[in-house]
């Protein structure tokens, strides 16, 4: 898949992360010629290292991944199930509960390690000769005009195409090169993620514990294992990263009130600075942003990849529709339809998530009262709970 003699493609995608690969897979059966440009070496795409992220997936994402044959590449033993969720506020014994029995499904969602998703997306492309993945190469410039586009690579090669896609992360250099501004919200916090084994079963329950300036999420993995997501100030994150494993084990078990008994670190601890990003526009002439390059979410509501996958799927459907009608796959109408659908879906989730983060990391009295009131309101009013449950489980595709 890496040796390339062709310099003409229909679509060139910058970035072979989960969004770029999913978009390529969504169009792999269309017959279009696609190049995916990735700066990492191919052996990393084929066997990505663990990066500590365990991705909570909605029912809609599961459906899309099944349609794209990505789900079939994932070993069953790597898939965790979320049947219940609890939101806890500070030291209050009161919590907001979500249960799959309140829905028409057997579970609220699944949880799968990011490296497993990345490998599955890569493997799902292995049979397509019309998709070239060009590794250890970067996009150095993009030129898009009314009639065609071209992309210059770091090895000086120039690829000609109809449509250029940026899927090169929330700090997308391709977005910047195209002059598309993005609003960035630096929370001044770091999230530390890792996996832990524990004494007691989690009963497929996901926990989100808000302790004012720190939050702890404990998400159920297969067996007596959980994904730990600890959010804290940059200063405190250094102390936590430097802790020896035994001290860390005790610290997390204590923060979690020993609900799962003794806990033991089973992976490295990975720090991620928390910066949310929303691009001012998702498209311009023969160019579109997808995945985190369009919308980079705070991970607390676990929407990032779910949204990225939904957006990639929507754009692929618009491209297919144009192809079926013999129209330009990168026309303004194709791109603007994608933009308006994906903005309509992502904007409320982005704004809502950022507001939630501010509320739950603010230790002032009015915020504490409002938090507690929200938990009671959420439990007492079925319609409020239903809205939150829908957000947890669905993320409708922006195409609907
Ligand atoms: C701690 C944490 C927990 C998360 N949990 C969840 C969750 O539970 N649910 C959820 O839905 N989402 C979650 N997310 C978000 C999810 O991980 C991201 O939304 C998703 O990985 C974004 O995929 P992407 O392909 O857009 O970007 P990325 O994964 O950032 O991939 C970008 C790719 O582009 C390549 N690249 C970058 N620059 C260039 C260049 N110039 N040229 C060529 N290639 C380039 C990179 O090497 C990389 O392969 C979480 C994120 C974090 C940090």
């Amino acid at each position: 898949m890496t040796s390339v003699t062709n310099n003409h493609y229909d679509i060139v995608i910058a970035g072979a992360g989960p969004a770029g690969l999913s978009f390529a897979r969504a169009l792999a059966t269309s017959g279009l010629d696609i190049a995916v440009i990735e700066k990492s070496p191919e052996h990393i795409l084929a066997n990505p290292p663990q990066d500590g992220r365990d991705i909570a997936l909605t029912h809609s994402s599961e459906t899309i991944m099944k349609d794209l044959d990505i789900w079939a590449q994932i070993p069953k033993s790597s898939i965790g199930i979320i049947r219940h969720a609890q939101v806890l506020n500070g030291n209050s014994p009161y919590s907001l509960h979500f249960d799959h029995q309140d829905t028409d499904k057997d579970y609220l969602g699944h949880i799968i390690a990011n490296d497993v998703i990345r490998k599955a997306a890569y493997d799902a492309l292995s049979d397509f000769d019309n998709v070239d993945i060009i590794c250890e190469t970067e996009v150095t410039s993009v030129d898009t005009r009314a009639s065609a586009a071209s992309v210059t690579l770091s090895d000086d090669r120039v690829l000609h195409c109809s449509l250029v896609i940026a899927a090169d992360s929330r700090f997308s250099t391709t977005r910047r090169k195209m002059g598309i501004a993005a609003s960035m919200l630096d929370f001044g916090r770091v999230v530390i993620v890792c996996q832990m084994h524990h004494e007691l079963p989690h009963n497929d329950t996901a926990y989100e514990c808000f302790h004012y300036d720190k939050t702890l999420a404990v998400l159920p993995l297969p067996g007596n294992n959980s994904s730990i997501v600890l959010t804290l100030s940059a200063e405190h994150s250094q102390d936590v990263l430097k802790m020896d494993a035994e001290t860390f084990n005790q610290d997390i078990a204590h923060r979690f009130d020993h609900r799962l008994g003794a806990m033991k670190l089973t992976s490295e601890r990975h720090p991620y600075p928390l910066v949310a990003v929303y691009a001012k526009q998702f498209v311009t002439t023969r160019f579109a942003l997808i995945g985190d390059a369009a919308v980079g979410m705070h991970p607390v509501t676990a929407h990032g990849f779910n949204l990225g996958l939904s957006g990639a799927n929507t754009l692929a459907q618009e491209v297919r529709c144009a192809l079926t009608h013999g129209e330009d796959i990168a026309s303004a109408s194709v791109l603007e339809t994608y933009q308006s659908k994906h903005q309509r879906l992502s904007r409320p989730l982005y704004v809502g998530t950022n507001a939630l983060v501010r509320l739950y990391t603010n230790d002032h009295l009015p915020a504490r009262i409002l938090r507690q009131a929200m938990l009671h309101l959420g439990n007492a009013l079925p319609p409020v709970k239903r809205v939150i449950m829908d957000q947890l489980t669905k993320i409708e595709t922006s195409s609907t």
Side-chain angles (χ1 to χ4, degrees):
M1 264 200 284
T2 45
S3 69
V4 176
T5 48
N6 183 13
N7 281 345
H8 284 83
Y9 291 91
D10 296 299
I11 300 176
V12 174
I13 303 167
L21 291 176
S22 301
F23 181 70
R25 180 60 187 80
L27 287 172
T29 51
S30 66
L32 292 170
D33 285 328
I34 300 169
V36 189
I37 315 301
E38 168 58 46
K39 63 180 180 185
S40 312
E42 188 161 6
H43 71 86
I44 295 286
L45 295 187
N47 286 299
Q50 219 189 27
D51 60 17
R53 302 185 210 187
D54 290 293
I55 305 294
L57 295 163
T58 60
H59 291 282
S60 306
S61 292
E62 179 183 344
T63 304
I64 298 174
M65 288 167 79
K66 282 183 175 160
D67 288 348
L68 300 185
D69 203 30
I70 295 175
W71 197 267
Q73 317 287 333
I74 298 176
K76 286 208 169 44
S77 58
S78 305
I79 303 178
I81 298 177
I82 304 174
R83 293 188 204 278
H84 320 275
Q86 271 193 47
V87 181
L88 301 119
N89 178 28
N91 296 324
S92 165
Y94 195 81
S95 67
L96 179 56
H97 288 260
F98 301 97
D99 199 301
H100 73 96
Q101 283 164 345
D102 298 335
T103 72
D104 56 353
K105 306 277 185 192
D106 288 341
Y107 51 89
L108 295 174
H110 282 117
I111 179 153
I112 302 178
N114 194 41
D115 56 291
V116 173
I117 295 175
R118 288 178 61 197
K119 178 172 171 46
Y122 176 79
D123 289 345
L125 279 167
S126 61
D127 289 338
F128 294 95
D129 294 339
N130 56 326
V131 180
D132 288 329
I133 302 184
I134 306 171
C135 290
E136 295 181 64
T137 311
E138 290 185 40
V139 170
T140 53
S141 70
V142 180
D143 182 18
T144 65
R145 303 179 180 218
S147 57
S150 63
V151 169
T152 305
L153 307 183
S154 45
D155 58 9
D156 292 334
R157 212 154 11 137
V158 178
L159 304 184
H160 301 276
C161 59
S162 296
L163 174 62
V164 181
I165 302 292
D168 53 348
S169 86
R170 66 187 64 204
F171 303 112
S172 169
T173 50
T174 317
R175 180 182 67 212
R176 186 176 287 271
K177 284 182 206 305
M178 290 301 287
I180 296 181
S183 65
M184 292 202 181
L185 188 54
D186 188 338
F187 292 95
R189 297 232 168 343
V190 171
V191 63
I192 296 174
V193 283
C194 63
Q195 296 186 350
M196 297 185 85
H197 182 76
H198 37 78
E199 207 177 6
L200 304 174
H202 47 51
N203 297 320
D204 303 326
T205 305
Y207 295 90
E208 187 78 67
C209 315
F210 292 97
H211 292 280
Y212 314 127
D213 64 332
K214 305 176 195 84
T215 66
L216 172 67
V218 179
L219 310 171
L221 297 174
N224 275 11
N225 300 295
S226 287
S227 176
I228 305 298
V229 186
L230 184 62
T231 310
L232 60 186
S233 68
E235 189 191 347
H236 285 127
S237 71
Q238 283 309 314
D239 298 337
V240 171
L241 286 167
K242 279 188 214 142
M243 275 178 190
D244 62 73
E246 190 46 44
T247 313
F248 181 79
N249 293 343
Q250 285 170 15
D251 183 68
I252 297 295
H254 173 70
R255 283 177 204 255
F256 198 46
D257 281 341
H258 305 278
R259 286 182 184 83
L260 296 174
M263 300 180 76
K264 188 168 184 240
L265 190 63
T266 53
S267 74
E268 273 181 49
R269 286 162 274 185
H270 300 262
Y272 292 89
L274 284 175
V275 181
V277 177
Y278 201 92
K280 298 272 188 231
Q281 60 195 77
F282 294 171
V283 302
T284 183
T285 311
R286 296 194 175 277
F287 181 86
L289 302 169
I290 62 168
D292 277 17
V295 185
M297 298 283 292
H298 187 296
V300 70
T301 49
H303 283 325
F305 176 60
N306 290 300
L307 262 180
L309 184 63
S310 167
N313 193 48
T314 300
L315 180 55
Q317 281 179 15
E318 296 304 324
V319 167
R320 273 182 183 277
C321 187
L323 201 58
T324 309
H325 292 98
E327 292 163 6
D328 180 0
I329 59 164
S331 70
S333 120
V334 165
L335 299 182
E336 278 161 19
T337 305
Y338 156 66
Q339 171 168 269
S340 83
K341 286 181 174 178
H342 198 44
Q343 282 178 340
R344 210 165 51 227
L345 177 76
S346 59
R347 174 59 80 180
L349 293 174
Y350 183 78
V351 172
T353 297
N354 294 345
L356 186 83
V357 171
R358 282 197 207 94
L359 178 67
Y360 276 92
T361 49
N362 182 340
D363 200 17
H364 292 128
L365 187 61
R368 287 194 199 193
I369 294 169
L370 185 57
R371 279 197 297 262
Q372 201 60 12
M374 277 176 62
L375 295 194
H376 284 270
L377 197 66
N379 270 335
L381 292 181
V384 173
K385 208 163 168 178
R386 164 69 50 199
V387 168
I388 302 174
M389 296 263 272
D390 280 355
Q391 293 237 334
L392 282 173
T393 57
K394 273 194 200 140
I395 293 208
E396 293 298 347
T397 54
S398 22
S399 52
T400 51

